């Protein structure tokens, strides 16, 4: 039987690359169809334009791969400093990568504009004047704004590094899919209709036109990102009281809960009655301290995850570092003795520990909305949205780690409806633990 958890995680991690590769396929298909169509109506025929564009694609790929290599080299630095909220270092790294990208793009542009024949002859050009003519036009027009393309690709990878997958996809697909594919169809059709035989030349302008739009979008996204980046630097200090408190060996209670079900309050009551420590925000604080990331960043991973492409966000490097650190801290806490752990998929992380009691706390939505309104001062409408958003984020986080279904009753020893009251719910959990022992 295939291990679907591993398969699912692989799909999530490869989603960005898959989108990029599929866009290349779509672009190539659309471009070749148009070249064949309008090439047949020109002096070049079908073969010359398609042969030339295949060479252009190879050269273009080399340039872009150089840029990708530069950005990927800086990705760990960007991701770590973003998580640590050392924003000056993020900006400094970004500037360094941008300068290198612009240098690659500028050198490439000069070569393509001044001496495209040098590149063309590498692939063999023969003595066909028509072939040389169209190849020269292609490099000088189609790749005239390759420097913009380099910046667009760099921006996409940058956004991935700082945990902004939606921005990354928008930056990448705007140029390739949203603009290029429609333009490579519409521009030659317009010119061919006005002047027969000109469509084959008009195709070449689809790339620089797309580059301009894509560059505008990339710049707007980047400016918006840096404007919204918090100005403060450094890590939020971890309180001295946030330490692992050793305890007697015994039961470890993990509590997962729906938003608004008073799960944190119930967990604290259970811990008090058991005479052990209750860990909630302390887990994220200790994880942040261990890996040098900002406490609030680690704590708010669920809240930071965009509703679109949430799984892709959770697979980014900096978020994965935080998740791994949390898992390590959860195990350290469990190794220190009996305790109560709230959230963070602790039930799955400790699945191989023998003395773990897994609890899931739920309640009717109407009850939870009322509690959210009381605790946070939300309106009823905002309360409904809040529980929907939080529950979806928790389910996605749990699934990304375990491959399982958050809230599935088969994964817990006890599921309890907290609308019976927090005291009654805590008493029920404690009674259950005593019966198990």
């Amino acid at each position: 039987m295939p291990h679907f958890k591993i398969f699912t995680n692989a799909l999530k991690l490869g989603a960005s690359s898959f989108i990029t590769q599929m866009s290349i396929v779509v672009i190539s298909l659309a471009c070749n169809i148009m070249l064949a169509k309008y090439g047949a109506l020109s002096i070049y025929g079908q073969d010359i334009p398609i042969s030339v564009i295949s060479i252009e694609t190879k050269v273009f790929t080399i340039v872009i791969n150089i840029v990708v290599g530069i950005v990927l080299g800086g990705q760990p630095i960007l991701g770590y400093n973003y998580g640590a909220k050392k924003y000056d270092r993020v900006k400094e790294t970004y500037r360094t990568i941008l300068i290198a990208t612009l240098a690659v793009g500028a050198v490439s542009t000069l070569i393509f504009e001044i001496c495209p024949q040098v590149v063309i002859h590498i692939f063999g050009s023969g003595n066909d004047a028509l072939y040389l003519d169209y190849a020269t036009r292609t490099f000088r027009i189609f790749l005239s704004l390759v420097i913009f393309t380099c910046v667009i690709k760099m921006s996409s990878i940058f956004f991935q590094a700082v945990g902004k997958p939606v921005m990354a996809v928008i930056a990448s697909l705007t140029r390739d899919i949203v603009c290029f594919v429609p333009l490579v169809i519409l521009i030659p059709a317009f010119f061919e209709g006005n002047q027969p035989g000109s469509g084959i030349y008009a195709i070449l302008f689809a790339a620089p036109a797309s580059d301009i739009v894509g560059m505008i979008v990339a710049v707007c996204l980047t400016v918006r990102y840096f404007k919204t980046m918090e100005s403060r630097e450094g890590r939020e200090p971890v309180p001295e009281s946030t330490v692992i408190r050793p305890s007697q060996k015994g039961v470890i209670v993990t509590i997962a809960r729906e938003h608004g079900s008073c799960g944190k309050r119930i967990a604290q009551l259970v811990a008090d009655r058991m005479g052990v420590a209750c860990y909630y925000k302390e887990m994220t604080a200790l994880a942040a301290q261990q890996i040098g990331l900002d406490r609030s960043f680690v704590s708010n991973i669920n809240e930071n995850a965009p509703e679109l492409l949430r799984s892709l966000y959770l697979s980014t490097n900096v978020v994965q570092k935080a998740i791994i650190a949390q898992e390590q801290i959860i195990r350290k806490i469990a190794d220190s003795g009996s305790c109560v752990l709230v959230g963070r998929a602790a039930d799955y992380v400790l699945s191989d520990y023998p003395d773990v009691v897994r609890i899931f706390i739920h309640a009717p939505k109407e009850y939870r909305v009322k509690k959210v309104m009381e605790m946070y001062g939300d309106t009823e409408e905002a309360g409904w949205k809040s529980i929907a958003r939080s529950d979806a984020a928790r389910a996605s986080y749990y699934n990304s780690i375990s491959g399982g279904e958050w809230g599935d009753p088969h994964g817990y020893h006890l599921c309890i409806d907290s609308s019976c009251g927090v005291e009654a719910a805590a008493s029920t959990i404690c009674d259950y633990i005593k019966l198990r022992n």
Side-chain angles (χ1 to χ4, degrees):
M1 289 291 293
H3 199 311
F4 287 106
K5 177 192 167 185
I6 296 176
F7 181 69
T8 301
N9 288 337
L11 283 179
K12 292 175 183 176
L13 292 171
S16 179
S17 296
F18 174 76
I19 292 171
T20 300
Q21 294 302 317
M22 286 304 298
S23 68
I24 293 173
V25 172
V26 173
I27 289 170
S28 299
L29 182 62
C31 193
N32 285 341
I33 290 174
M34 292 300 104
L35 287 170
K37 176 181 178 180
Y38 293 104
L41 302 175
S42 71
I43 58 174
Y44 301 106
Q46 293 183 346
D47 294 339
I48 288 178
I50 292 177
S51 298
V52 168
I53 210 67
S54 67
I55 293 174
E56 175 277 330
T57 301
K58 291 182 178 68
V59 175
F60 175 77
T61 301
I62 292 171
V63 174
I64 292 301
N65 283 342
I66 294 173
V67 172
V68 169
I70 292 170
V71 187
L72 290 179
Q75 195 174 46
I77 302 172
L78 288 166
Y80 178 83
N81 285 295
Y82 171 74
K85 292 199 173 181
K86 296 179 179 179
Y87 297 132
D88 275 355
R89 292 188 179 182
V90 173
K91 293 177 181 178
E92 182 181 352
T93 305
Y94 175 83
R95 281 194 295 266
T96 302
I97 294 172
L98 178 60
I99 291 170
T101 298
L102 291 173
V104 172
V107 170
S108 301
T109 302
L110 289 173
I111 293 173
F112 299 153
E113 295 298 322
I114 297 173
C115 51
Q117 297 86 355
V118 174
V119 179
I120 297 167
H121 281 286
I122 293 175
F123 296 89
S125 60
N127 297 315
D128 192 328
L130 289 176
Y131 175 88
L132 288 174
D133 176 65
Y134 195 74
T136 302
R137 289 174 183 267
T138 298
F139 276 84
R140 285 178 172 165
I141 299 174
F142 202 81
L143 297 178
S144 60
L145 293 180
V146 69
I147 190 171
F148 283 8
T149 315
C150 291
V151 174
I152 293 167
K153 297 300 179 185
M154 182 216 76
S155 300
S156 179
I157 300 174
F158 166 75
F159 289 131
Q160 289 181 40
V162 295
K164 301 295 180 183
V166 175
M167 287 186 171
V169 172
I170 292 174
S172 180
L173 295 189
T174 297
R175 188 265 180 193
D176 294 338
I177 300 299
V178 177
C179 291
F180 182 80
V181 173
L183 290 177
V184 83
I185 295 172
L186 297 175
I187 292 178
F190 174 80
F191 280 92
E192 186 71 25
N194 288 286
Q195 184 178 348
S198 64
I200 193 64
Y201 303 116
I203 290 175
L204 304 179
F205 290 93
S210 302
D211 288 330
I212 292 172
V213 177
M215 183 67 176
I216 293 172
V217 171
V219 169
C220 289
L221 290 173
T222 304
V223 170
R224 179 186 175 190
Y225 169 77
F226 281 114
K227 278 187 176 180
T228 55
M229 182 187 284
E230 294 183 18
S231 59
R232 64 184 179 86
E233 290 185 52
R235 299 185 299 273
E236 183 179 312
V238 179
E240 294 181 3
S241 60
T242 305
V243 294
I244 297 176
R245 286 159 279 178
S247 176
Q248 296 290 329
K249 293 295 181 183
V251 175
I252 299 168
V253 182
T254 65
I255 294 182
R257 78 283 182 219
E258 292 180 330
H259 184 51
S261 63
C262 301
K264 287 179 287 187
R265 175 60 181 154
I266 294 169
Q268 187 61 61
L269 288 173
V270 171
D272 292 343
R273 295 180 186 184
M274 291 176 60
V276 298
C278 179
Y279 295 91
Y280 172 51
K281 290 291 186 182
E282 294 83 357
M283 289 187 288
T284 59
L286 290 165
Q289 186 180 46
Q290 175 173 298
I291 58 176
L293 293 180
D294 183 79
R295 182 185 179 189
S296 63
F297 172 80
V298 178
S299 178
N300 297 326
I301 285 175
N302 283 349
E303 288 79 1
N304 291 337
E307 293 185 28
L308 294 173
L309 303 179
R310 183 177 277 119
S311 295
L312 183 57
Y313 170 80
L314 292 173
S315 72
T316 55
N317 291 341
V318 64
V319 173
Q320 282 296 306
K321 286 180 182 178
I323 290 173
I324 292 170
Q326 286 180 138
E327 292 179 0
Q328 293 172 344
I329 289 297
I330 288 171
R331 289 182 177 275
K332 284 183 180 180
I333 293 172
D335 290 338
S336 71
S338 180
C339 60
V340 177
L341 302 170
V342 182
R344 301 293 161 174
D347 57 290
Y348 172 76
V349 175
L350 302 178
S351 58
D352 56 342
Y353 280 60
D355 297 324
V356 176
V357 176
R358 301 172 183 83
I359 309 295
F360 186 80
I361 299 175
H362 60 93
K365 286 187 176 180
E366 292 78 8
Y367 173 86
R368 294 193 285 134
V369 169
K370 182 180 177 181
K371 288 297 180 182
V372 168
M373 292 169 65
E374 292 175 0
M375 290 185 289
Y376 304 110
D378 288 347
T379 63
E380 183 175 354
E381 182 182 359
W384 281 99
K385 291 180 179 179
S386 177
I387 63 172
R389 182 175 58 253
S390 294
D391 286 351
R394 291 173 185 179
S396 180
Y397 179 87
Y398 187 86
N399 179 262
S400 72
I401 293 176
S402 68
E405 182 181 350
W406 178 76
D408 180 3
H410 296 92
Y412 304 94
H413 295 111
L414 177 66
C415 295
I416 184 167
D417 184 343
S418 64
S419 62
C420 63
V422 293
E423 294 285 347
S427 296
T428 301
I429 294 171
C430 290
D431 291 342
Y432 176 78
I433 291 171
K434 291 177 181 178
L435 287 174
R436 279 181 60 90
N437 291 337

